[in-house]
Amino acid sequence: MRGLRMFAVAALVLGASLITGTAAQAAPSAPYTVLAVESDWHDYTFESGVEFSRFGPDGINTYAYGQGGNYNLYISPPTGTSLTPGTYPTLRFADATHAGMDHGIDGQACSENELAGNLTIHEVQRNQAGDITAFAASYRFPGCKDMSGELRWNSSVGYKLARSSARSFGWDGSDIGRDTAAKDVTVTVGGTQPVTFGQAAFAGSAPGAFRIKADTCSGKVLAVGKSCTVSVAAHPTAKGAQTATLTVPDDTAGTRPAVSLSAFGIIGAEGTYYPVDSARILDTRSGNGAPAGKVGGASTLNLQVTGRGNIPSSGVSSVVLNVTVTEGTSASFLTVYPKGVSRPTASNLNFSAGWTGANSVTVRVGDGGQVSIYNHAGGTHVIVDVVGFYAANNELLYNRGLGNEYIPVKVERLLDSREWGYGPLDGGDQVTIPLGYTGLTSNIRAVAVNITAVDPTGTGFFTAWDGNNIPPQSSTLNFSPRATVPNMAVVPVTTCPLPNCSQFMSFRVYNHVTSSAHILVDIVGVYVQGSMETGLRFNPLSPTRITDTRDGLGANVLGPQSITPIAVPGAIAGPNTVAVGLNVTAVTPSEGTYLTLWRTGLPARPTASNLNPARGQTVPNATITSLGTDNRFNVYNHAGNTHLVIDVNGTFDIPPYQLEAPPALRGLTGRQLPTLATGRPTATRTTS
């Protein structure tokens, strides 16, 4: 209590029973003897063992003591008068116009300047000697922890009480723009009469930082002993501390049941991306991650992903994998999905017999931190490399810091070795690819790129990595002779190590084998430090098919040089969705062709490709595609006719904390597309 002073307490221990507002009780019978107090500090209701005595010429002293606390209340009439029914302004000491009122609670009391209040006397009965034999009053000290109460002594005047189960709630480290778990305030009716409740509401400096999630109190009339509940969640709207008070108005004479609320808003980690050093977590050829041997037809392999390959054991919502098949005995497809859910009607990797190839797969983590890998037909070896993960919650904030947010960029070609004079990338060669975006460069931590091998002379594979240390043995892109093979990759970056590009970030691509191949690299997005507060967060989904032209789902067969808009259903793309993670499959085109995906509303089609299928081939590739304001994107087919299958694995959304900010402060997450910074040097090839 503010300005506390020590208060002398009577030495007599009366053995009063303490009845708190959290327990329901039956209404007492008249005559009533009760001393009740409620405040921002303590709530007490003494309904037995209350001592009532004279104080001064015509004042009273009421004292009660019980397990948990004690309370004194002194009342005296204005100077020269007697206690009679009516309403009086009060001070600590009576004068000609004020009644005197003082109190002590648990041996302490408020300072004198806080004791201004009011007193309403409902009943005064006296015997022939003038002694008070029955008394009823209500009182309040607004400045003294908003203290109020009811006093009855052998009185027939009923009274109302309403007590809340909590006086304060706090939430630490709560995400801005997200509701926390709710906490319940239970209000219980005491006294002798029913209580009518008004509308629960918030007051204080930040009422918008809290939400009522459920309410059984507002507008209700409750009998004595009955309870109602208001469930409250924090919903911080800014960084740092925010406070408010929940009020539940009622028709009691005392203070309204109120709960002090506090929350501390933070930028949370949910949906941010953490790149890791590429690590192999499954190779059925050697028994890494599963018993050695091919995955059979119509069978499922469950793979542990959390706690392995630089992935934390918890706090992970989804992982980014590079999945490779080799030595398949028949044409088939793989579906990768969260363990514990029904296998979806979706595919991640379609392949022919004997084909070696890979695809990037972003998949939500399922039961026990595992994902399921289904092979449809024949037998095939499966290889899985993990390259990163998305956070499920704030668990990783304290040991890994805030992750990275995704920003879509203008789709542009970073490298085309056919046109820029490099020639094909020979075995043992590598290329350093610099990039930068005005205002973003130093904060870029990874890039989403589409890498394509064109016209390889033999079988081989590329590896993309940040360029630090020697290239890892994991593959990003596997190719076969004379084929054109794309694969999407999320690649970590580092400060460009070359003398002419130290102001840019860069990554490298290495050709592991003797076969040479031309290389194309197209960029679709960057991952920037979450501390910039300008990017998108990933919301993982179980793979969901939105297009299958074989069945007329979402579109019809794609003709030559056609542009087909694809709508993402509202059940997937919400009002704050800016981009979607896709797996796109071209099915048996009538001619060799390429497909390009881009958002609707742009003036021109990007000069890039997402898929490069040969005639009759069924080829998948992952991508992240921005959406137009109509929640659609375009698909361009260059030649012949082809069927198209598209599965969605997640959405990239404007995070809740940005929605709490004014539009001008929401950074780059709207419909803007950053373009490459000027002055960026071209990719530099290093020969072995």
Side-chain angles (χ1 to χ4, degrees):
M1 301 175 71
R2 293 180 295 130
L4 286 175
R5 56 189 173 83
M6 296 307 296
F7 195 92
V9 180
L12 180 62
V13 177
L14 301 174
S17 63
L18 175 65
I19 303 176
T20 67
T22 60
Q25 65 261 1
S29 301
Y32 309 119
T33 295
V34 62
L35 178 58
V37 58
E38 55 188 64
S39 71
D40 291 344
W41 189 34
H42 284 303
D43 289 349
Y44 290 137
T45 303
F46 302 96
E47 290 185 330
S48 63
V50 179
E51 180 76 13
F52 192 84
S53 60
R54 180 184 292 275
F55 173 68
D58 196 50
I60 59 172
N61 170 28
T62 309
Y63 175 75
Y65 180 90
Q67 184 179 3
N70 56 74
Y71 189 55
N72 280 74
L73 181 65
Y74 295 83
I75 296 173
S76 57
T79 304
T81 68
S82 299
L83 292 174
T84 57
T87 298
Y88 305 87
T90 63
L91 295 173
R92 182 185 179 195
F93 299 109
D95 60 20
T97 58
H98 292 80
M101 192 162 59
D102 199 0
H103 74 104
I105 185 168
D106 294 338
Q108 295 179 305
C110 289
S111 59
E112 186 169 329
N113 60 358
E114 295 173 323
L115 291 175
N118 57 75
L119 170 70
T120 298
I121 299 176
H122 306 290
E123 178 186 25
V124 180
Q125 297 290 336
R126 299 175 185 271
N127 59 20
Q128 291 183 346
D131 296 326
I132 295 175
T133 58
F135 186 82
S138 304
Y139 63 94
R140 187 177 183 189
F141 305 98
C144 181
K145 289 293 184 180
D146 206 12
M147 187 170 290
S148 64
E150 298 283 354
L151 172 61
R152 299 292 185 274
W153 177 259
N154 293 331
S155 175
S156 61
V157 178
Y159 58 96
K160 298 181 178 184
L161 295 176
R163 297 293 172 79
S164 60
S165 59
R167 306 306 288 178
S168 64
F169 282 143
W171 292 266
D172 293 330
S174 305
D175 286 14
I176 297 171
R178 294 184 187 274
D179 286 355
T180 64
K183 298 184 179 183
D184 291 341
V185 180
T186 299
V187 182
T188 301
V189 173
T192 67
Q193 299 171 348
V195 172
T196 300
F197 292 95
Q199 184 65 47
F202 298 111
S205 61
F210 303 90
R211 303 281 175 89
I212 293 176
K213 307 298 290 184
D215 179 5
T216 62
C217 292
S218 296
K220 301 294 177 61
V221 179
L222 296 186
V224 175
K226 299 298 184 180
S227 299
C228 60
T229 299
V230 180
S231 296
V232 183
H235 183 95
T237 57
K239 292 180 184 178
Q242 292 185 290
T243 61
T245 300
L246 169 70
T247 59
V248 186
D250 58 47
D251 62 348
T252 65
T255 57
R256 295 178 292 184
V259 180
S260 298
L261 307 173
S262 64
F264 194 90
I266 63 170
I267 304 296
E270 182 178 347
T272 59
Y273 179 69
Y274 293 79
V276 299
D277 292 336
S278 177
R280 184 148 293 174
I281 60 173
L282 176 67
D283 190 337
T284 60
R285 299 170 301 181
S286 63
N288 174 15
K294 293 182 179 181
V295 181
S299 63
T300 300
L301 181 155
N302 293 318
L303 175 64
Q304 182 70 41
V305 292
T306 59
R308 301 181 63 225
N310 305 313
I311 303 299
S313 58
S314 60
V316 176
S317 70
S318 53
V319 288
V320 181
L321 310 173
N322 200 61
V323 180
T324 304
V325 294
T326 188
E327 302 177 24
T329 60
S330 70
S332 183
F333 65 85
L334 297 186
T335 299
V336 185
Y337 59 101
K339 184 190 176 195
V341 304
S342 299
R343 176 167 55 88
T345 305
S347 61
N348 297 97
L349 187 55
N350 300 70
F351 54 93
S352 56
W355 184 76
T356 297
N359 196 17
S360 178
V361 176
T362 299
V363 57
R364 183 166 60 85
V365 172
D367 293 348
Q370 298 184 40
V371 300
S372 297
I373 303 173
Y374 169 80
N375 176 40
H376 182 65
T380 184
H381 282 299
V382 181
I383 303 161
V384 175
D385 301 307
V386 62
V387 299
F389 66 91
Y390 292 93
N393 47 44
N394 293 335
E395 185 177 335
L396 301 171
L397 276 177
Y398 305 105
N399 53 24
R400 297 208 183 198
L402 184 61
N404 304 291
E405 295 180 332
Y406 179 74
I407 294 180
V409 299
K410 180 182 178 182
V411 178
E412 297 182 81
R413 184 146 285 172
L414 300 177
L415 172 64
D416 186 340
S417 66
R418 302 168 302 179
E419 300 177 2
W420 295 357
Y422 289 94
L425 197 63
D426 295 326
D429 288 357
Q430 63 184 20
V431 60
T432 301
I433 304 172
L435 74 154
Y437 292 86
T438 302
L440 298 178
T441 301
S442 63
N443 291 287
I444 298 173
R445 294 296 176 265
V447 292
V449 292
N450 200 59
I451 301 174
T452 305
V454 179
D455 199 24
T457 61
T459 300
F461 67 94
F462 291 153
T463 293
W465 86 112
D466 60 9
N468 289 323
N469 304 315
I470 63 174
Q473 289 300 308
S474 57
S475 61
T476 302
L477 175 65
N478 298 74
F479 51 79
S480 54
R482 306 306 169 196
T484 298
V485 183
N487 196 21
M488 179 189 163
V490 179
V491 186
V493 298
T494 190
T495 302
C496 185
L498 303 179
N500 63 340
C501 68
S502 59
Q503 71 272 37
F504 295 97
M505 308 304 285
S506 70
F507 62 99
R508 289 177 175 174
V509 181
Y510 178 76
N511 184 3
H512 277 270
V513 296
T514 56
S515 303
S516 63
H518 279 292
I519 181 172
L520 313 180
V521 179
D522 302 310
I523 188 163
V524 298
V526 296
Y527 290 84
V528 300
Q529 291 188 102
S531 57
M532 288 194 71
E533 302 176 20
T534 58
L536 306 173
R537 303 290 183 96
F538 183 65
N539 174 38
L541 303 172
S542 292
T544 304
R545 183 149 292 175
I546 63 169
T547 302
D548 190 338
T549 60
R550 299 170 299 183
D551 301 328
L553 174 64
N556 296 314
V557 63
L558 277 58
Q561 297 188 353
S562 64
I563 296 176
T564 303
I566 303 294
V568 180
I572 294 174
N576 302 315
T577 299
V578 176
V580 286
L582 305 175
N583 195 67
V584 183
T585 305
V587 181
T588 60
S590 62
E591 297 183 31
T593 185
Y594 67 86
L595 303 182
T596 299
L597 281 69
W598 76 103
R599 81 175 198 200
T600 57
L602 290 181
R605 171 170 53 89
T607 56
S609 62
N610 296 94
L611 278 173
N612 304 77
R615 179 180 178 180
Q617 226 181 0
T618 297
V619 178
N621 195 22
T623 188
I624 301 173
T625 300
S626 296
L627 301 178
T629 55
D630 55 0
N631 272 357
R632 300 195 299 174
F633 60 90
N634 291 322
V635 181
Y636 171 77
N637 174 45
H638 183 65
N641 297 317
T642 186
H643 281 295
L644 179 70
V645 176
I646 300 177
D647 302 309
V648 180
N649 58 47
T651 62
F652 290 85
D653 302 326
I654 299 174
Y657 76 83
Q658 289 190 35
L659 297 176
E660 299 292 338
L665 301 179
R666 293 182 190 171
L668 300 170
T669 58
R671 303 292 172 177
Q672 305 174 46
L673 288 179
T675 58
L676 288 165
T678 58
R680 177 183 64 90
T682 58
T684 301
R685 176 177 174 176
T686 304
T687 59
S688 57

